[in-house]
Amino acid sequence: MYEPVVSDILTRIRRTRLVPIITIDDPSKAVPLVDALASGGLPCAEVTFRTASAAESLRRITGERPDLLVGAGTVLSPEQAALAQSCGARFVLSPGLNRRVVRWCQDHGLPIFPGVCTPTDIEMALEQGLEVVKVFPIEPIGGLPYLKAIAAPFPTLEYLPTGGISAANLAAYLSFDKVVACGGSWMTPAAWIAAGAFDRVRDAARDAVAAARPAAAGR
Ligand code: 3PG
């Protein structure tokens, strides 16, 4: 049950190559925000569980826009994973690798991409049967050279780097064939969301899609 779901979600993530990370304080902004991303060419998002509004925002998005691929981020406990799934999340990410969260998601058919930072983390991920992991926070820990260095001993794994990625360095990450997609919040800054500046979100998404295109074509 778990593997086919993961493969379906990964197919969709590989297609967009980019997962916008959104942190929402006001649930009424949730649907306009994902609409702006979708109109810029990104029909997907990770809603972080960093605010009290996360669950309600996720519920509204998945209820009103069921065709978008939307997951939950910053999931730190099995209870939060269960809440995310009940709100319609199609996948889960976490900043680190919590074995209980990974196990819960695997047991409940919810694709999980936990964060890793070191070769030891990666060995733990392999032990739990994972094939794709988030690498966080990629820029402060060494960027693409670091990712290539830690990926070398683990040829079967693939990566979702996040943390400090922007339109400026996106193409470089995507040109590495072990990178499934990149995650980032640069298209959805809090000030734009608060001001309802959804046209700016749409334009940033469009620019990001354009920045990702040469890398995709080159692979
Ligand atoms: C994450 O949750 O993966 C990070 O907050 C993303 O990092 P960024 O905000 O630098 O894009």
Side-chain angles (χ1 to χ4, degrees):
M1 151 116 190
Y2 185 68
E3 288 309 324
V5 187
V6 174
S7 132
D8 174 51
I9 295 297
L10 276 175
T11 299
R12 293 181 66 178
I13 292 178
R14 278 184 214 284
R15 206 176 294 143
T16 61
R17 317 230 59 213
L18 182 54
V19 180
I21 298 173
I22 61 182
T23 298
I24 304 173
D25 286 311
D26 172 1
S28 73
K29 300 273 175 42
V31 172
L33 183 56
V34 292
D35 283 348
L37 290 167
S39 66
L42 292 174
C44 62
E46 167 193 335
V47 177
T48 68
F49 270 63
R50 296 184 197 180
T51 64
S53 305
E56 174 59 18
S57 300
L58 191 54
R59 199 175 289 121
R60 288 192 192 193
I61 295 168
T62 60
E64 295 180 36
R65 299 291 184 266
D67 291 343
L68 300 182
L69 179 65
V70 180
T74 323
V75 170
L76 305 179
S77 66
E79 293 73 23
Q80 254 180 352
L83 177 60
Q85 189 175 50
S86 75
C87 294
R90 307 284 304 279
F91 59 90
V92 157
L93 291 103
S94 55
L97 196 157
N98 176 318
R99 289 170 189 267
R100 291 172 58 238
V101 173
V102 171
R103 187 61 198 267
W104 191 95
C105 290
Q106 290 171 331
D107 287 348
H108 292 81
L110 185 60
I112 165 85
F113 308 109
V116 300
C117 205
T118 67
T120 304
D121 297 344
I122 292 177
E123 289 193 28
M124 283 173 57
L126 286 170
E127 202 169 65
Q128 291 202 268
L130 295 163
E131 294 173 354
V132 178
V133 288
K134 165 171 163 161
V135 189
F136 174 76
I138 190 61
E139 277 289 300
I141 61 176
L144 187 56
Y146 180 85
L147 180 57
K148 287 185 173 175
I150 55 163
F154 308 107
T156 60
L157 267 187
E158 293 182 291
Y159 303 91
L160 292 163
T162 78
I165 295 182
S166 69
N169 56 13
L170 176 65
Y173 281 102
L174 292 177
S175 68
F176 181 32
D177 64 1
K178 297 291 182 189
V179 170
V180 171
C182 292
S185 66
W186 80 93
M187 294 156 281
T188 56
W192 293 1
I193 300 173
F198 299 119
D199 51 341
R200 298 186 74 173
V201 172
R202 179 204 57 215
D203 292 349
R206 195 173 282 156
D207 289 348
V209 170
R213 204 168 289 132
R219 283 173 53 171

